Amino acid sequence: MPEYRRILLDGAAVETVRDGDDLVAGDGRRVAIADAHHLPPVVPSKVVAVHLNHRSRVEEFRIGLPDTPTYFHKPTSALNSHRGAIVRPEGCKWLNYEGEVAIVIGRTARNISPAEAGEYIAGYTVANDYGLHDFRDTDAGSMLRVKGSDTLCPLGPGLVTDWDFRGKRLRTYVNGEVVQDGSTDEMTWDMHYLVADIARTITLYPGDVLLSGTPANSRPVQPGDVVEVEVEGLGRLTNHVVTGPTPIRADVGAQPTESEEVLSTALGGDWEFRGIRPPKR
């Protein structure tokens, strides 16, 4: 299966193809993968993510799924790359990993059927849909800061074409220990369904990314942790967590909170009022 990676080479963003342990640019220049400065493998105009899809995640929360998927948006300013630093802002505590498969659009798609959707997919890459749950009480509806803060959408290491998403294993590691272990077969809605669903009303352009959901056991990570997401046939995306250089400003906007909703989501527990901001005491 061909694999394409974007790297920084002699100061420019360059598309390369993998050849064993090397990456080869169009002009023949070669760089060892171990020495490459990776960039996100694609440049999307938008990143759309499904809320819940894997059955193990749904069962973990002891909830039911709606009849059709629901989504949120991650701004492109959240994009990050293989080996990039994930920034947890100073003053925040509840940053969770979520290992996922990312769908990459290859052709402009609008009003297509699930049966046609495969023809519009360029390939797939690995994603980690980090969530900054400190802002969940104020952004539960939009998930804007929860999922869209800077650096919280690493993709990579490469774009793999001709990859069959069926029956593939997905694992997340923190400091070398397995913390998530799932399969694409536990997805309620498959890749083709997700693409066709979004494309009914939102035009998808080449390079656009759809995140397909995470299995159970998303948990908080700390500065210094190394988080890796490995998908069978797509490779391993590696990132490390750091503390941001400045605290969340206190003179504007909502502040990080630590309510029962925040804790139950970050720690994977059940709470009867999930999704409803608790009254102030």
Side-chain angles (χ1 to χ4, degrees), residues 8-246:
L8 190 63
L9 184 58
D10 295 334
V14 175
E15 294 186 356
T16 66
V17 61
R18 182 174 181 175
D19 180 20
D21 293 330
D22 290 342
L23 300 175
V24 184
D27 60 5
R29 284 178 295 172
R30 303 178 75 94
V31 59
I33 289 176
D35 298 331
H37 182 129
H38 282 75
L39 301 171
V42 294
V43 183
S45 71
K46 51 187 164 292
V47 179
V48 179
V50 64
H51 276 110
L52 289 171
N53 196 5
H54 283 247
R55 289 190 296 273
S56 63
R57 186 70 166 153
V58 175
E59 292 166 1
E60 178 181 33
F61 281 140
R62 305 178 191 176
I63 57 177
L65 281 177
D67 292 336
T68 55
T70 60
Y71 304 89
F72 58 92
H73 177 250
K74 290 173 82 86
T76 56
S77 52
L79 285 170
N80 203 338
S81 62
H82 177 52
R83 301 179 187 153
I86 306 300
V87 179
R88 191 185 77 176
E90 184 178 336
C92 293
K93 296 172 59 177
W94 305 106
L95 174 68
N96 282 43
Y97 55 78
E98 291 189 11
E100 308 200 6
V101 175
I103 308 162
V104 179
I105 298 301
R107 296 168 51 198
T108 299
R110 182 68 163 84
N111 196 30
I112 59 174
S113 70
E116 298 170 312
E119 301 172 17
Y120 293 82
I121 295 174
Y124 301 85
T125 189
V126 185
N128 199 330
D129 181 19
Y130 282 93
L132 191 66
H133 294 296
D134 305 72
F135 285 101
R136 195 169 187 91
D137 285 330
T138 53
D139 285 10
S142 70
M143 302 286 278
L144 181 60
R145 285 169 290 194
V146 176
K147 292 302 187 83
S149 293
D150 289 355
T151 76
L152 299 192
C153 188
L155 302 173
L159 169 66
V160 178
T161 60
D162 298 328
W163 182 77
D164 186 347
F165 61 80
R166 299 167 184 86
K168 297 301 190 295
R169 195 166 192 178
L170 184 161
R171 283 178 164 177
T172 303
Y173 303 78
V174 175
N175 302 325
E177 295 188 8
V178 176
V179 292
Q180 287 185 296
D181 193 348
S183 166
T184 55
D185 280 350
E186 64 167 298
M187 294 169 60
T188 303
W189 301 289
D190 71 15
M191 311 299 186
H192 295 169
Y193 185 102
L194 297 176
V195 170
D197 186 19
I198 287 295
R200 290 184 303 158
T201 61
I202 299 174
T203 300
L204 296 172
Y205 296 109
D208 283 352
V209 170
L210 277 69
L211 305 186
S212 61
T214 195
N217 208 45
S218 164
R219 296 292 185 272
V221 285
Q222 311 299 324
D225 287 343
V226 175
V227 185
E228 300 170 285
V229 182
E230 184 177 42
V231 179
E232 182 182 352
L234 296 183
R236 185 180 289 217
L237 170 67
T238 301
N239 298 99
H240 59 283
V241 182
V242 302
T243 300
T246 57

